[in-house]
Amino acid sequence: MDIGTRTTNARSIFATSFLAMMLVACGGGNGKTAGTEQSNSLLRAVSSEAEFVTHFKTLYTQNNGNDQVSAAPQASEGAAANDGSSGGYSSTYTLENNVDEFDVLKYDGDFLYIVPTLQQNCCFISQGNQAFASDALVAPQDPQNPASIRILSTSPTIATAQQVTTIPLDDGEYVQGLYVQGDSLISISTSQYYGSYGDVWRDIAPWGQQSLAVKIYNTATIENIQKMWDIRLEGGFVDSRRIGDTLYLLSRHTPYWDNIYYYPASEQEVSANRETLANTTSADIIPNITINEQTRPLFTAQDCLITRDDQTNKYGSPVITSITAVPLSSPGNAQTTCYNEDASGIYMSSSALYISQPTFSSSEGGTRIHKFGLGAGKPAYRGSADVPGHLWGRGQVDFRMSEKGNQLRLVTTRYTGDGDDLRDHQLTILQESNDDLRLEQISTLPNAARPAELGKPNESLYGVRFLDERLYLVSFEQIDPLYVLDLSNPEDPYIAGELEIPGFSDFLHPVNNELLLGLGQSAQNQGLVKLSLFNVADIANPIELATQLLGKDGGWNYSEAQYNRHAFTYLQHPDGSDRFTVPVKSSYNTEQAGYVNENRLYLLEINGKSNSAAASLDLIGDIIASPAPRENWYGGQNRSVIHDDAVYFLSGDYIWSALWTSPDVQTGPQ
């Protein structure tokens, strides 16, 4: 009961409004109505298969020029946290507790599961106004080392790892990441490149002729791994999360026809599209799902929502965005909700999925948010909102969103056009309306009563972290202000404290309620990665307790953890200390060998955290990944696992390891 299409005449809207109201009320499960003309909901239910087809055809048969390909967002930035630890070993660092995230390295306490680096197509190709996914530019593969998922057994007491088996990959199978759940290994692969959110994500053609695959393997007997489920969806992969037994997949699909104009810019092209689509049915539009070679439609027309038909809401797209819930214990019962607008990024709590997209109704731009409730069955539409400013910029942008109770807190950036102050940052708090499928505004900051800006003039927003009733923000142009916002009264948030220091933090990690860790770049020692430990016990007076500089002085250094939380590993140790690792890639000049590229994993501890005023940030040592047996095509991946005293460092496709107590004695590559 969920996707979008625009009906072509007022009579059909009136005739179907009552049925649409019933469909949404059923799908939402909350008694709200969004199918009536009085509703302010931004999406409404499809009333019939005929309306679904008509709406979709309309999007191809109106002269829009290239309106659908407006400038788009870029990547991501910062919310609340999970250190990723499980018992005596670390696991994938995630944004929210109980919401697992796929990654290229997974660990279950006994085995390391590694996705090969060279498993991605590289590019989208553009010819005129038609952009399409290309198989012409593919990362090269080593014929002596066919693509496969590697599985290594570990011996934590001596910090060694040994390959025990592999799972060969098919030609054209590009694995994006893995999940581990009990004795199941879940792989997600695509037919094309999964890159940063960007301009191409708002395009139409690239989402055509793509496919997404999920394979579920039984690993109970590691020497005899069995593939239990092979699930394939038509469409391009956007993102995924796992909550308990349910795997959530976000995908987008553009139906394919010969001789179609995706962006009709003249009446002749519009007429040609009408002729091409004259006999189109829902089967031509709806993508298929194939489960263990049994194929069926991914959804029905009535499982979809469409953009409401009015003059102020023109964000419908002929690309279908699908949210598929796959119960891992019975994948054949997968259910999907869909709609017909963009999907530029997601944030997921344990109870809801929020999908965001940019809007361009004003010169400052805006962000549209759609909320879907999670639970048994398919995701249920809960409401939408438009907020000023863009959500998607640099870094890990889903950190800019956080759910608390029934409220969504988010931080956006508005571009003012003022050369003296180009950027204004805004906090907005939303909650579900009681009587409609919309998200209503509770408060914003700055506001008339509290006009102080979030950040000084022209400062960009870097690290963002929501933690319960606080929000930490780091902005930067020449200095690094750390702002602490009090959100205890959601109707009146305010800036409670501020600290100015040189440098900036891209990534913020809460150690406890009184200590905050920041990872970014140094301003005084340019080129070095900087770690800062902040005492935030006094919300009005944050203090930088300690710093550590990582990398090669005089060289160029960066950490993948600055923009990818999965590269950061954190584990609370039984002795009361917190252990964590940070990978740093350094390029520097030597007299003997010229420029050298080096991957190091730095081992650090936070000690004395029970007394926030006396806590320390201590460097223990590092593990150096020497050149691997084969070169990585585009730089490789850096991940790590801490298991008791053992540390495993994935650099590219290979593992180096050492004991925490003697990091200079290293084993690898494996």
Side-chain angles (χ1 to χ4, degrees):
M1 308 171 198
D2 308 344
I3 184 176
T5 306
R6 185 162 34 203
T7 184
T8 55
N9 58 75
R11 182 181 303 175
S12 68
I13 295 176
F14 178 80
T16 60
S17 62
F18 179 75
L19 180 55
M21 175 185 71
M22 297 301 293
L23 285 167
V24 174
C26 174
N30 60 356
K32 303 176 190 176
T33 61
T36 66
E37 290 307 300
Q38 289 74 35
S39 171
N40 290 312
S41 170
L42 295 178
L43 297 176
R44 66 176 181 84
V46 168
S47 61
S48 67
E49 183 174 348
E51 186 193 29
F52 173 76
V53 174
T54 299
H55 178 91
F56 201 92
K57 288 165 65 174
T58 299
L59 295 171
Y60 278 111
T61 54
Q62 54 192 1
N63 188 346
N64 288 327
N66 281 335
D67 288 349
Q68 296 290 342
V69 204
S70 305
Q74 300 261 318
S76 343
E77 224 164 305
N82 174 25
D83 61 16
S85 60
S86 176
Y89 61 89
S90 64
S91 56
T92 301
Y93 191 100
T94 62
L95 183 59
E96 292 285 358
N97 288 312
N98 304 316
V99 182
D100 195 12
E101 302 174 12
F102 68 98
D103 195 25
V104 297
L105 174 67
K106 286 291 183 176
Y107 186 54
D108 62 7
D110 296 308
F111 299 99
L112 297 162
Y113 304 88
I114 303 171
V115 171
T117 298
L118 305 185
Q119 288 305 295
Q120 300 181 35
N121 278 24
C122 85
C123 302
F124 285 99
I125 305 299
S126 179
Q127 292 181 349
N129 76 338
Q130 307 281 45
F132 55 92
S134 170
D135 59 3
L137 295 171
V138 181
Q141 297 185 10
D142 184 349
Q144 303 302 317
N145 188 10
S148 60
I149 297 170
R150 300 178 65 222
I151 303 176
L152 283 68
S153 64
T154 62
S155 298
T157 56
I158 56 175
T160 61
Q162 182 177 2
Q163 181 170 305
V164 292
T165 190
T166 64
I167 301 176
L169 302 180
D170 299 333
D171 289 342
E173 182 180 2
Y174 305 108
V175 176
Q176 302 300 324
L178 306 170
Y179 292 99
V180 171
Q181 183 194 32
D183 290 332
S184 294
L185 176 69
I186 302 106
S187 74
I188 298 176
S189 59
T190 65
S191 61
Q192 302 296 340
Y193 171 64
Y194 169 53
S196 300
Y197 303 123
D199 289 358
V200 73
W201 286 67
R202 279 184 55 80
D203 218 331
I204 297 170
W207 300 104
Q209 298 181 288
Q210 288 200 51
S211 62
L212 160 65
V214 176
K215 295 182 179 180
I216 304 175
Y217 301 92
N218 185 325
T219 59
T221 305
I222 205 68
E223 298 82 6
N224 186 29
I225 294 176
Q226 301 291 319
K227 183 173 68 174
M228 307 302 294
W229 294 92
D230 191 326
I231 305 167
R232 298 174 186 268
L233 284 70
E234 292 182 334
F237 177 59
V238 176
D239 219 327
S240 172
R241 298 289 188 271
R242 181 183 68 87
I243 300 177
D245 182 59
T246 304
L247 175 68
Y248 292 95
L249 301 168
L250 190 68
S251 61
R252 305 197 71 211
H253 173 68
T254 296
Y256 177 78
W257 293 274
D258 290 330
N259 305 317
I260 194 73
Y261 291 94
Y262 286 111
Y263 321 104
S266 68
E267 289 306 315
Q268 291 85 351
E269 293 177 354
V270 168
S271 297
N273 279 0
R274 286 198 183 100
E275 183 176 346
T276 298
L277 301 175
N279 298 316
T280 293
T281 67
S282 62
D284 301 316
I285 299 171
I286 296 173
N288 288 324
I289 181 172
T290 300
I291 302 177
N292 287 357
E293 300 185 352
Q294 300 296 314
T295 300
R296 62 172 173 83
L298 182 60
F299 51 81
T300 68
Q302 281 86 355
D303 289 323
C304 290
L305 298 162
I306 59 178
T307 300
R308 293 192 64 84
D309 186 15
D310 60 57
Q311 294 304 307
T312 62
N313 186 33
K314 297 183 178 180
Y315 293 100
S317 168
V319 182
I320 297 170
T321 295
S322 299
I323 312 160
T324 302
V326 182
L328 294 172
S329 57
S330 56
N333 295 322
Q335 298 187 58
T336 298
T337 297
C338 63
Y339 67 101
N340 73 321
E341 291 189 8
D342 295 331
S344 295
I346 74 169
Y347 160 72
M348 182 181 282
S349 70
S350 59
S351 61
L353 168 66
Y354 298 87
I355 304 178
S356 65
Q357 67 185 73
T359 61
F360 301 93
S361 56
S362 69
S363 59
E364 296 181 351
T367 296
R368 173 165 292 187
I369 304 289
H370 297 306
K371 178 180 180 179
F372 295 86
L374 306 176
K378 67 179 182 178
Y381 179 55
R382 306 291 297 179
S384 307
D386 284 332
V387 297
H390 285 302
L391 187 67
W392 299 92
R394 64 184 310 282
Q396 303 178 82
V397 178
D398 51 351
F399 279 112
R400 288 194 181 207
M401 292 184 278
S402 172
E403 182 184 75
K404 183 173 176 59
N406 197 33
Q407 296 176 345
L408 175 69
R409 297 90 60 90
L410 69 156
V411 180
T412 55
T413 298
R414 304 168 68 177
Y415 295 92
T416 65
D418 180 353
D420 295 326
D421 187 9
L422 288 172
R423 305 170 188 87
D424 286 340
H425 311 297
Q426 176 176 303
L427 167 70
T428 302
I429 300 179
L430 305 169
Q431 73 177 18
E432 288 186 35
S433 168
N434 291 325
D435 57 3
D436 199 359
L437 286 168
R438 58 187 174 86
L439 305 178
E440 57 187 10
Q441 179 179 295
I442 300 301
S443 62
T444 63
L445 190 72
N447 54 52
R450 300 187 185 275
E453 292 191 9
L454 305 179
K456 294 180 171 52
N458 272 329
E459 287 186 334
S460 296
L461 196 58
Y462 284 72
V464 180
R465 200 73 192 231
F466 287 91
L467 182 62
D468 195 25
E469 295 181 341
R470 290 187 183 184
L471 168 60
Y472 299 99
L473 298 173
V474 174
S475 59
F476 178 77
E477 186 181 32
Q478 294 179 336
I479 57 175
D480 178 7
L482 169 68
Y483 293 91
V484 187
L485 277 64
D486 189 325
L487 310 181
S488 57
N489 179 0
E491 296 182 358
D492 185 26
Y494 65 94
I495 300 173
E498 177 183 346
L499 171 67
E500 291 187 2
I501 53 175
F504 62 86
S505 298
D506 291 288
F507 172 75
L508 299 172
H509 170 79
V511 176
N512 56 28
N513 290 334
E514 298 184 348
L515 294 170
L516 181 72
L517 185 68
L519 171 65
Q521 294 287 149
S522 171
Q524 293 175 323
N525 301 83
Q526 293 186 3
L528 292 178
V529 174
K530 179 184 179 183
L531 279 166
S532 295
L533 182 63
F534 300 102
N535 180 355
V536 292
D538 181 355
I539 192 172
N541 185 34
I543 300 169
E544 187 178 47
L545 283 177
T547 63
Q548 287 285 351
L549 298 178
L550 310 179
K552 283 289 188 177
D553 199 6
W556 179 71
N557 309 273
Y558 76 94
S559 174
E560 188 176 346
Q562 291 176 243
Y563 58 87
N564 186 338
R565 56 182 170 266
H566 296 162
F568 181 80
T569 300
Y570 199 92
L571 182 66
Q572 296 181 0
H573 198 257
D575 66 5
S577 66
D578 286 5
R579 294 178 173 181
F580 66 99
T581 59
V582 178
V584 174
K585 184 169 185 176
S586 303
S587 296
Y588 57 94
N589 195 15
T590 64
E591 293 183 2
Q592 297 81 11
Y595 271 95
V596 173
N597 293 322
E598 187 175 74
N599 279 355
R600 289 177 183 256
L601 183 72
Y602 287 89
L603 283 54
L604 300 110
E605 291 182 357
I606 297 174
N607 291 291
K609 63 181 183 180
S610 60
N611 179 2
S612 57
S616 64
L617 176 61
D618 304 312
L619 178 62
I620 304 303
D622 57 67
I623 298 174
I624 304 174
S626 57
R630 62 187 171 97
E631 290 295 324
N632 291 319
W633 188 58
Y634 63 92
Q637 50 208 7
N638 294 279
R639 300 290 189 272
S640 60
V641 167
I642 306 172
H643 188 166
D644 295 333
D645 281 334
V647 184
Y648 298 97
F649 177 29
L650 174 66
S651 180
D653 293 339
Y654 295 89
I655 291 288
W656 283 258
S657 56
L659 288 170
W660 192 271
T661 51
S662 53
D664 54 323
V665 182
Q666 301 173 5
T667 301
Q670 291 290 332

